[in-house]
Every structure is written in structure tokens, then in C-alpha cells.
Amino acid sequence: MNRHAKGKTPRRPPKTPSSNQKDPVGVYCRVRPLGEEGEECCIEVISSSTIQLHAPAGFKTNRNGEYKETQYSFKKVFGVSVSQIDLFEHVAKPLVDDLIHGKNGLLFTYGVTGSGKTFTMTGSPGLGGLLPRSLDMIFNSIGPYQAKRYVFKTDDKNGMEVQNEVDALLERQRRENNLPAPKTTTARQKLDPEIADMIKPEEAYKADGVDEDTSYSIFVSYIEIYNNYIYDLLEETQEDAIKPKPPQSKILREDQNHNMYVAGCMEVEVKSAEEAFQVFWKGQKRRKVANTRLNRESSRSHSVLIIKLAQAPLDADGDNILQDKNQVTVSQLCLVDLAGSERTGRTGAEGTRIREAGNINQSLLNLRTCIEILRENQMCGTNKMVPYRDSKVTHLFKNYFDGEGKVRMVVCVNPKADDYEETLLVMRFAEMTQEVEVARPVDRPICGFTPGRRNRNQAFKEELSRKLEERGGPIDRDMSSVINHLVHNLPPLPCSELTDPHDDITLPRLIEALQNRHRIRQMMIDEYTKAANTMKSMLQQLDSNHMSNENIIHEQNGRLLEKDKIIQNNKAELERLEKKAKTQEHKIDILQKTTKIYEDDKRSLQHELETREQRLQRELNDKRRMEQRMHGVVTDTQHKWAKECDRRVNAMQLEMQNKLWVKDEKLKQLKAIVTESKTPGRPEPPPRQTQPKRPSREERLPAKRSASPSPMPTSTPVRPMHRRSRSAGGEKWVDHKPSSSMDLGTVLQPVIPNAIQVSAPSEKALSKCDRYVLTHQEVASDGEIQTKLIKGEVIKTRGGGQAVQFTDIETLKQELTTVPRRKRKSSEGKPASGDGTDGAWTDVETRCSVAVEMRAGSNMGPGYEHHGINKRRKP
């Protein structure tokens, strides 16, 4: 069994633009005057289309600490001295002209809080802004051609209906009966002094080319977008002082033409600029404003005034509006006062104000995102989805960016230094917005009726009234009154009452009166027939002229069609070339950016190469200096060791010479003892000992050392003294001897039994032993090499490893000194005895043994000096 797949809602195809021609978004800049004199200014107007931003003192824009000046271009820049009327003439007047000719328009102000957006849009008494001047121009242009109230009637689906004058009259009476009685009896209520005299009479504008054969009506609606919710500022609510009812938010809907509108929004029909501005001011008082640190009356919402113009052509007679809904054209102009972006740290916002500021900044950020994606789609040819629905502001005006009218933006900036960072972001957004193009709206179709119908109908009525006035008839344009006037112009009938049967006067007089009336009637019929024939001939002539004109127009239309085809082909070719040019410009921009990146990389690499070359040259110089110094050190060391070798050789020669001398003395003593033992009769005195002869240079040369130790006399055995190092013990040791240690060739060496010898300590070796000793060699202050034994205990750590705690240091130092000569004591006059009573001085080997193995710290002969640093213990 096959399951049917769930159907998806098909995606609506994008709305094709109404025209192939596109215009960029018009962005204007207005600079507000500084509030205080002497205040630092960061904006300078260079020309009529360029401004320059200066970084204020203490503000660093580059990493190297340099000041950076940036320039931004606009369609036109308005300085501090530009008046409100000049701003309106360049910015809003073209949009009002398009509105009257059936085209839509969007105008909004953008900037930081306190930059003058509300003043630019609304103005003040005597200095009316863009909004009141736009309303004044509209009514100055269409005032004589306005339809009666309620002839145009809005429906609930953003459409417009047409009623005849009778229905409009009934609607007007019904609404007037439902309205409460006015408080004042004057026809024109007094205006609010805050909005009175906004525009001077000499500053009034009027549009050109207004269609006189069309009737117009103006509808005004005023909304605000507060915290991303839409509220109707003109909605009438029942005031309840005990329990006030909060205003209900409105929703956005899409009509049958895919245009967005606010559902349920109140649209008020106005008939004059004063009435329209009175309605606007009524909603303006309900708008959300608050006092902040930067602005006394800061707008907390985006306000939108929608001016909707409905127009329909007159019928063929030029008297009444054509009762055809399809012939009604509706155009609208949206005037938007966006709330200013702000930083809560500067405005001091708290509580509700922080939430309001967050929603304002979020909606402006979404507007910036939509503009960025539109620009990317147009420049790069992509088709990314524009997130209009993320904010009510962009969702409401998405039709304008899709090609439903002109879009213009006035960027208001404050030149004070405190707003520099926010102004910089506003400038970047304005620069990006200028690159977005919007499709140009097409002209509305021309009605097929003969132009000038209203004037001809008016002229006909005036001529008829004039003729009737000349003939003494009423000037009333009503046909029944004209007929009654003609009847009264006939001769009166005489009295037709018969009192006598023989009366021969009454009837003849009545017959004569009737004949006179018949004659006058016949004359009037002849006159009217003649006038009708004349009119008929004139109409026939006009028809023939009209037919000839139609033929001429048909021929001209054919030629125009051919010209239109040529123009369309040229436009298509121009669009293709423009698209190609944009593509090439985009590629050129990419190549320029790539080239710039490569140049920056090249410069950085060159700088790095130069730095490394300098470092390498410096290292080479250091290496040369080190080689020279090491060469000097090696030379000094070689010289020192050569001297040391010579000294040791001399000491060894002297030692060997002393040993030979001692052996000679011993042999002589043995010889004397042997000689004495051969003559036991009488003892002879020992021979006189003379001073031994100093050996010659050849005799002083050291003899080759035998591998076996020299024999020791049995009569006086010498017990050799073996000194044990303090490092010997029953524990197991790690003997750490670096590979750079030198073998000094000394007789006494520290012996560490049960040790593991390593050149570098390892965890494996430390884990097997309890003690640790490090053999360290260094050059002492006297130039001799001394050896230090650094001892420590191996302990286990919590992490399962081993650590060494040093507890003792032993210093082993080698010294070579010359042994002073000793003179033998003379044995003359003393009997020789074999008990060896003077062995301490006569036994040479004993004395040599004592001289060789001496106490620590003795300076009498060669030996070892032993210093021990015991572990400090607590008392």
C-alpha cells in the first residue's frame, strides 16, 4: 500500500518588477548645527555632495595611532544653514509629484538619537518640515478637483470603491448623525498653537500637469511600530478612568496585488491641509516618547504617516465620476520617522528604556541586513532571500524595495564629537544604501475619453445659464425649472367663464389667445429645430474632424510603436551593457582587492625578510665575536694547562728525586749495618756522614714508574691509610656523572659502592635507588679545577614519580706543593742500635709514607683537602 506524500505549499514566484529601468535609492545628508559654541566638531561639508569626518581628539582609528579622515558622498548634502523649504524642494517635492500622477513613494529619516530627524520630518511653527509641506502641496494641486466626501470609500482589503453622489450623501448623513455634537459652533475649529502657521503663504508649492478630468480624494492613516508591534495612533478608544484598556496591536496582511498593508488600520478622509495636519497632530500626541540623557523628547518608536490618494476619471459628459472600480487608481506616500539608534551607556537607559532601545537597534540592524543582501543580489547576481519578515519595518515596506515606487532617505547627523562612532556607522550604512537600485514605477494608463471634458461641461453650463439670463429665464441649471420658465413666458390665457349663452366675446378671445400661444410655440419649435440642425451639423463636422484626427493618431501610434520597439531594443542592449559593465566593475574591484592583498603580503614578507636578514647578520656577528672570545679562552686555557703541566712535571721530578735520595740514604744505612756486623770484636764508630752530592740534571730526570709497588721494609711496616668518602653507605646510590666531567688523575678518588652510574638521570634509575649524588666540576678562584659532590635523598611523589631533596655538598680540591728539604740528623757519637729508637727520623720509608698520606688540611706535602657541609638539623 503506497502512502501519499504530504503536499507542500507551493512557493509563490517572486513578483516581477513593473519596469526594467532602475534608479538607485536617493540618499541625502543633513548636518545639524552644534548645540554649544566652542564644542568640538567632527564633520566638515566639503562640497554640495561630499562630507568629511574628522576623528576627535583622543580617538585613535588606526592601530599605529594615527588619525584617519574619511569622506562620504551623497546625492546632495545640506549644511547647517539650509532651510526647510530648500530641503523639501530637493527631497520630497518629486515624491509628491509622483503621488499625484499615480506613483508610490517612500521617504524616511535615519540617524543617531538627537540628530534632528523629527525636526526634519515635522518641523516647528514657522519652520514646517517635510510632512506638512507635502500635505500643503497635495491640496494646493488637487483642491479644485476633489470629489465629495464618501464618494471614494475604502474597503477592508486595501482596496477602494466608488459610490454615486446619492449613496455618498446618505453615507455622509448617516455618519454625521452618529458623530457626537461638536463642542464649538464654528465651522472651522481653532488649530493647536503648536502646529499653527507651519507654512507661510509665500512658501506654497503646486504640482504641474494635474489631470483636470479626474476626481481626487485624500486618505490619511498614522501608525507607530513600538517594540516590534504595530499600533494605530488614530484609533478611537473608549476611555475608562478606572480600568484603562491598553491599545490593541495590528497585524500585517497582503492584498490581492501582493502589497503589504496594516489590517484594521483607520483611514481618515481629509479635504484640506489643515484638517490633515490636525489628524496627524492628534496621533502625534499619542506617540511613545521619553526623556533620555541625550534627548529631552526621544522617540521610542518608528512612526509612519501613510498618505493615500484615490483618483478616478470623469464620465464622457464630464459631470460625474465613472462608476468603474477598475478605473480607480490608488497611490500612496509613506513618510517614516525612524527612531534613532542609541547606546544605553550614553543615554543612561534603565528598565523599560533598555528594552525599547534594544528593539529599536534590532529593527535598524535588520534594515541594514536587508539592504546588504539586496545590494549583494544586485551586484553579484545572487538570489539570496531577503529577511523582510524579521522586522515589522522591513516587512511593511518590502514592496518599495521590490519596485513599487521611489525610495529616498535623509540621513541626519550631529557633528559633535561624542556621536563620532555612531555617526561613522550611519555613514557606512548610507554609503551602502546608495548602491541598491529600485525598479522605476510605470505611468498609469491613460483613459480613452476625450480630454477636457470637465472644462467643456463647465463651459456648456455657463453658456446655458448666460443665455437663459439674457432671455429673462432662471439661471438654474435644472431642466424642470427651465421648462417652467418657458411655460410662464407664453401669453396668459383670458378668462374663459361663460355666464351668458349669447356671449360672443369670450370664446373668440380664447381662440385668439390659443392661436397666439400656438404661433409662439411653433416659433420656438422652429428655433429649437434650427438650433438642433446647427448643432447636428457641428457635431457631424466634429465627428469628421475626430475621425480624421483618429486616423492621424492611429498613424502616429503605429510610428510610436515602431519607435517603442526600437527604444525597447536599445534599452535591452543598454541593460545588457550595463550588466556587463557592472560585472566587469565587480571583477575589477575583486582584482584590485586581490592586488592590494598581494601587495600587503609582499610588503609584509619583504619586511619579514629584511628583519630576518638583520637578525641573521646580528647572529653572524655574535657568532664571530663568540668564536673570537672562545678562541681567546681556548688559548688562555691551553697556556694555563701548559703551565700547569710544566709545574706538575717539575713537582714529579722533584718528588722522584727525593725518593731516589731517600733510597740512597737507606742503602747507605744498610751498608753501614752490614759492615758493622762483620767486625764484632770491637765496635768502630760509624763513618762520618757527609752531605750527599746534589744529583746532576741527568740524574734528576724521573725514573720510569714500575707497575708493582715498591717493597716496604719489614722492620718498620707502614699501615696505609685509606680514607672513605662520606657518600659510602649501605643504601643504593645513583651516581650522576655528566659526560663533560674531566679525569684529573688524582690518587684518591671517591668510591661509592652499590651505585648506578648514569650520565643523565632517568625515572627508571631513580625508582631503584634511595640516594643520589651529582659530580660537578668548576674552576675555582685560584684557577684550579675543583670537584663538588652534591648529595640528596630520593623521595616518592603523590603522582607516582620521584623527586630529589638535596641534603649535603662535599668539595674535593687538589693541591700540589713543594716539600722543603730536611737535613738528616747526624748519628756521630751515638752507637748504632738495631732497635730503631730513632726510626721516626731515620726510617726514610716511614717518613715518606707519612709525607704521602697526610692529614686533611696539611700544607706540608701533596694531599687532598676535604670539606663537608653537614645537613642542618633543627635544635
Side-chain angles (χ1 to χ4, degrees):
M1 182 177 180
N2 296 330
R3 296 182 62 185
H4 296 284
K6 186 177 180 181
K8 295 183 178 180
T9 303
R11 184 177 180 182
R12 178 181 297 164
K15 186 177 181 180
T16 57
S18 56
S19 175
N20 293 328
Q21 297 179 353
K22 293 185 178 181
D23 295 323
V25 176
V27 181
Y28 302 84
C29 179
R30 188 179 193 184
V31 182
R32 172 183 175 171
L34 286 173
E36 299 178 0
E37 295 183 0
E39 192 175 4
E40 185 179 2
C41 180
C42 63
I43 295 178
E44 178 185 359
V45 179
I46 298 179
S47 64
S48 61
S49 61
T50 307
I51 65 172
Q52 181 170 321
L53 266 67
H54 305 275
F59 185 83
K60 307 293 183 181
T61 57
N62 286 349
R63 292 184 179 180
N64 54 6
E66 297 178 357
Y67 293 102
K68 184 179 180 181
E69 297 179 351
T70 54
Q71 293 185 0
Y72 296 94
S73 298
F74 298 89
K75 192 170 184 178
K76 190 172 182 59
V77 175
F78 302 96
V80 295
S81 60
V82 175
S83 62
Q84 296 276 62
I85 188 171
D86 293 336
L87 179 68
F88 170 76
E89 184 176 359
H90 288 88
V91 179
K93 183 176 178 295
L95 296 180
V96 176
D97 288 331
D98 290 344
L99 175 70
I100 295 174
H101 291 89
K103 299 177 183 177
N104 298 330
L106 171 64
L107 172 62
F108 60 94
T109 56
Y110 182 86
V112 186
T113 180
S115 59
K117 300 182 298 300
T118 303
F119 176 77
T120 299
M121 184 61 70
T122 307
S124 60
L127 298 173
L130 300 178
L131 190 147
R133 294 182 186 275
S134 299
L135 292 173
D136 184 70
M137 180 178 174
I138 291 172
F139 286 101
N140 290 338
S141 303
I142 67 170
Y145 315 117
Q146 290 192 72
K148 293 182 180 180
R149 200 182 294 268
Y150 305 120
V151 171
F152 290 96
K153 182 181 178 182
T154 59
D155 57 11
D156 296 334
K157 298 180 180 179
N158 201 31
M160 194 69 64
E161 297 177 352
V162 183
Q163 300 184 127
N164 54 35
E165 292 188 2
V166 176
D167 295 337
L169 180 61
L170 294 176
E171 180 76 15
R172 184 163 57 251
Q173 292 176 355
R174 182 177 61 82
R175 295 202 180 189
E176 288 177 356
N177 293 331
N178 293 332
L179 291 176
K183 296 181 181 180
T184 58
T185 57
T186 57
R188 183 177 178 182
Q189 297 182 1
K190 188 176 179 181
L191 291 177
D192 195 325
E194 296 185 9
I195 61 174
D197 299 330
M198 275 283 187
I199 303 171
K200 299 177 182 179
E202 60 271 13
E203 295 178 352
Y205 277 89
K206 185 177 181 180
D208 298 329
V210 180
D211 190 3
E212 299 176 352
D213 297 324
T214 304
S215 291
Y216 302 90
S217 284
I218 297 294
F219 296 86
V220 174
S221 58
Y222 194 26
I223 63 172
E224 73 169 349
I225 301 175
Y226 176 70
N227 288 338
N228 208 26
Y229 288 97
I230 301 176
Y231 298 98
D232 187 3
L233 297 177
L234 303 180
E235 185 178 14
E236 296 293 341
T237 58
Q238 296 180 357
E239 298 182 358
D240 189 355
I242 299 176
K243 188 177 180 182
K245 186 178 181 181
Q248 298 295 323
S249 62
K250 306 297 180 180
I251 61 175
L252 290 176
R253 293 191 184 276
E254 193 175 37
D255 61 7
Q256 58 182 0
N257 297 323
H258 308 312
N259 295 322
M260 304 305 302
Y261 70 98
V262 180
C265 180
M266 185 175 181
E267 295 179 339
V268 181
E269 185 178 6
V270 290
K271 293 299 178 182
S272 65
E274 292 79 7
E275 183 184 358
F277 201 69
Q278 188 76 22
V279 172
F280 162 75
W281 196 250
K282 176 183 176 182
Q284 184 72 3
K285 292 181 178 180
R286 301 178 180 177
R287 189 181 175 189
K288 305 292 189 304
V289 294
N291 184 13
T292 63
R293 191 182 300 171
L294 300 180
N295 193 353
R296 185 171 59 88
E297 293 183 357
S298 176
S299 301
R300 313 310 296 169
S301 62
H302 310 298
S303 65
V304 182
L305 179 70
I306 303 175
I307 304 172
K308 187 176 293 185
L309 175 63
Q311 50 185 318
L314 299 176
D315 56 8
D317 295 334
D319 194 13
N320 297 317
I321 298 176
L322 191 65
Q323 298 295 313
D324 187 1
K325 186 177 180 180
N326 297 326
Q327 295 294 333
V328 179
T329 302
V330 180
S331 57
Q332 64 181 15
L333 173 62
C334 296
L335 302 177
V336 186
D337 182 12
L338 294 176
S341 60
E342 59 184 36
R343 294 187 178 181
T344 55
R346 295 186 59 225
T347 58
E350 295 180 355
T352 307
R353 300 292 169 261
I354 293 180
R355 180 173 173 233
E356 293 172 352
N359 289 319
I360 291 171
N361 295 335
Q362 182 64 33
S363 61
L364 296 178
L365 177 62
N366 189 71
L367 176 62
R368 180 188 181 95
T369 303
C370 293
I371 295 294
E372 286 180 354
I373 296 178
L374 279 173
R375 171 176 169 269
E376 183 180 355
N377 290 342
Q378 292 177 4
M379 295 188 66
C380 303
T382 58
N383 192 19
K384 293 184 178 180
M385 187 185 70
V386 183
Y388 291 118
R389 294 178 177 269
D390 292 350
S391 173
K392 291 293 192 299
V393 176
T394 54
H395 194 194
L396 179 60
F397 301 122
K398 80 180 196 65
N399 304 106
Y400 291 93
F401 293 103
D402 290 341
E404 288 296 331
K406 288 184 179 180
V407 180
R408 294 197 173 184
M409 178 175 71
V410 180
V411 177
C412 300
V413 293
N414 196 337
K416 66 179 182 180
D418 295 339
D419 291 346
Y420 175 76
E421 294 186 56
E422 289 88 346
T423 303
L424 199 63
L425 298 176
V426 170
M427 292 294 108
R428 293 174 182 170
F429 171 68
E431 187 178 34
M432 177 183 60
T433 305
Q434 293 182 97
E435 299 178 0
V436 176
E437 293 183 346
V438 179
R440 184 182 302 174
V442 296
D443 297 331
R444 63 188 179 93
I446 301 175
C447 182
F449 296 109
T450 306
R453 302 184 300 280
R454 185 192 293 269
N455 292 333
R456 286 199 302 272
N457 187 26
Q458 187 71 24
F460 174 75
K461 290 181 179 180
E462 291 178 357
E463 182 66 20
L464 180 60
S465 299
R466 186 181 62 80
K467 288 186 177 181
L468 290 175
E469 186 179 2
E470 289 177 357
R471 295 183 179 183
I475 310 178
D476 192 1
R477 299 174 184 177
D478 192 2
M479 184 59 65
S480 60
S481 62
V482 173
I483 294 173
N484 292 331
H485 178 69
L486 291 176
V487 170
H488 287 297
N489 285 336
L490 294 174
L493 294 174
C495 182
S496 59
E497 182 179 359
L498 294 175
T499 59
D500 188 5
H502 302 284
D503 190 0
D504 296 333
I505 299 173
T506 303
L507 290 177
R509 188 170 52 186
L510 179 59
I511 292 171
E512 184 182 1
L514 290 175
Q515 288 177 352
N516 289 332
R517 292 177 69 113
H518 179 71
R519 185 176 64 254
I520 294 173
R521 179 177 176 273
Q522 191 64 34
M523 289 175 58
M524 292 178 65
I525 290 173
D526 294 339
E527 185 178 354
Y528 279 118
T529 304
K530 184 179 179 181
N533 293 330
T534 306
M535 180 64 70
K536 186 176 180 180
S537 61
M538 291 176 64
L539 289 175
Q540 289 177 355
Q541 185 178 0
L542 289 174
D543 287 338
S544 61
N545 295 333
H546 182 65
M547 292 297 294
S548 59
N549 291 332
E550 283 185 352
N551 293 330
I552 295 172
I553 291 172
H554 185 70
E555 293 177 0
Q556 296 295 332
N557 288 334
R559 295 179 183 177
L560 286 175
L561 289 175
E562 295 178 357
K563 297 294 183 181
D564 287 338
K565 290 181 180 179
I566 297 173
I567 290 173
Q568 290 297 330
N569 295 332
N570 293 334
K571 287 181 179 179
E573 184 66 19
L574 285 174
E575 289 179 358
R576 186 183 65 81
L577 294 176
E578 287 178 355
K579 188 174 181 181
K580 185 176 180 181
K582 287 182 180 179
T583 306
Q584 297 298 330
E585 288 177 357
H586 182 64
K587 290 182 179 179
I588 289 172
D589 292 339
I590 294 174
L591 291 175
Q592 287 178 351
K593 292 179 181 178
T594 307
T595 305
K596 185 178 180 181
I597 293 172
Y598 286 160
E599 289 178 354
D600 294 340
D601 293 343
K602 181 181 178 182
R603 283 194 295 268
S604 61
L605 290 175
Q606 286 179 351
H607 180 68
E608 185 178 359
L609 181 61
E610 292 175 358
T611 305
R612 291 192 177 184
E613 287 180 352
Q614 293 176 0
R615 189 187 304 168
L616 182 60
Q617 188 66 28
R618 187 165 58 251
E619 290 178 355
L620 290 176
N621 294 334
D622 294 342
K623 184 178 180 181
R624 293 193 191 97
R625 286 196 297 271
M626 183 63 72
E627 288 178 353
Q628 293 176 0
R629 187 167 60 187
M630 293 304 296
H631 182 70
V633 171
V634 169
T635 305
D636 295 341
T637 305
Q638 289 179 352
H639 183 66
K640 181 177 178 182
W641 279 106
K643 290 173 65 177
E644 179 67 18
C645 290
D646 293 340
R647 184 181 65 78
R648 291 187 180 184
V649 168
N650 293 334
M652 187 64 71
Q653 288 179 355
L654 183 60
E655 183 181 358
M656 297 303 295
Q657 185 178 356
N658 290 335
K659 286 183 179 181
L660 289 176
W661 181 74
V662 170
K663 287 185 179 181
D664 289 342
E665 289 296 322
K666 290 171 66 175
L667 289 176
K668 288 180 181 181
Q669 290 180 3
L670 291 174
K671 186 177 180 181
I673 293 172
V674 171
T675 304
E676 290 178 358
S677 62
K678 289 181 180 181
T679 56
R682 57 181 183 90
E684 295 181 358
R688 185 178 179 181
Q689 295 183 359
T690 60
Q691 185 70 21
K693 183 179 179 180
R694 186 178 180 84
S696 62
R697 182 177 179 83
E698 289 78 6
E699 295 175 351
R700 280 184 295 176
L701 292 174
K704 294 183 179 180
R705 187 172 182 179
S706 176
S708 59
S710 58
M712 298 181 63
T714 57
S715 59
T716 56
V718 180
R719 183 179 178 182
M721 299 175 63
H722 296 283
R723 177 180 174 273
R724 289 179 59 84
S725 175
R726 290 180 60 186
S727 61
E731 299 91 350
K732 197 167 184 179
W733 290 73
V734 175
D735 189 3
H736 178 195
K737 289 185 178 181
S739 58
S740 59
S741 300
M742 298 177 59
D743 187 8
L744 301 180
T746 57
V747 177
L748 297 180
Q749 294 286 344
V751 178
I752 304 176
N754 197 16
I756 299 176
Q757 294 186 358
V758 293
S759 59
S762 62
E763 184 180 358
K764 182 178 180 181
L766 291 173
S767 63
K768 297 180 180 180
C769 301
D770 300 326
R771 304 292 297 275
Y772 171 85
V773 61
L774 169 64
T775 304
H776 173 66
Q777 291 182 344
E778 62 182 7
V779 180
S781 59
D782 56 354
E784 299 293 337
I785 297 177
Q786 67 180 6
T787 305
K788 289 186 178 181
L789 301 179
I790 304 172
K791 303 178 183 178
E793 296 180 356
V794 180
I795 59 177
K796 292 185 179 181
T797 61
R798 292 181 178 180
Q802 287 78 27
V804 177
Q805 181 180 3
F806 295 103
T807 59
D808 194 8
I809 299 177
E810 292 187 12
T811 303
L812 305 180
K813 188 174 181 181
Q814 179 180 3
E815 292 183 358
L816 295 177
T817 58
T818 58
V819 181
R821 287 189 176 183
R822 294 177 179 270
K823 293 184 179 181
R824 291 182 67 248
K825 294 183 180 181
S826 178
S827 57
E828 294 182 3
K830 292 183 180 180
S833 60
D835 55 357
T837 56
D838 56 346
W841 297 104
T842 58
D843 193 349
V844 179
E845 189 170 357
T846 302
R847 288 188 294 158
C848 290
S849 300
V850 172
V852 171
E853 192 77 26
M854 305 213 46
R855 223 168 20 143
S858 174
N859 294 326
M860 299 301 295
Y864 294 93
E865 183 177 3
H866 175 261
H867 297 284
I869 301 176
N870 295 325
K871 181 177 180 181
R872 185 176 298 175
R873 298 181 181 178
K874 295 182 181 180

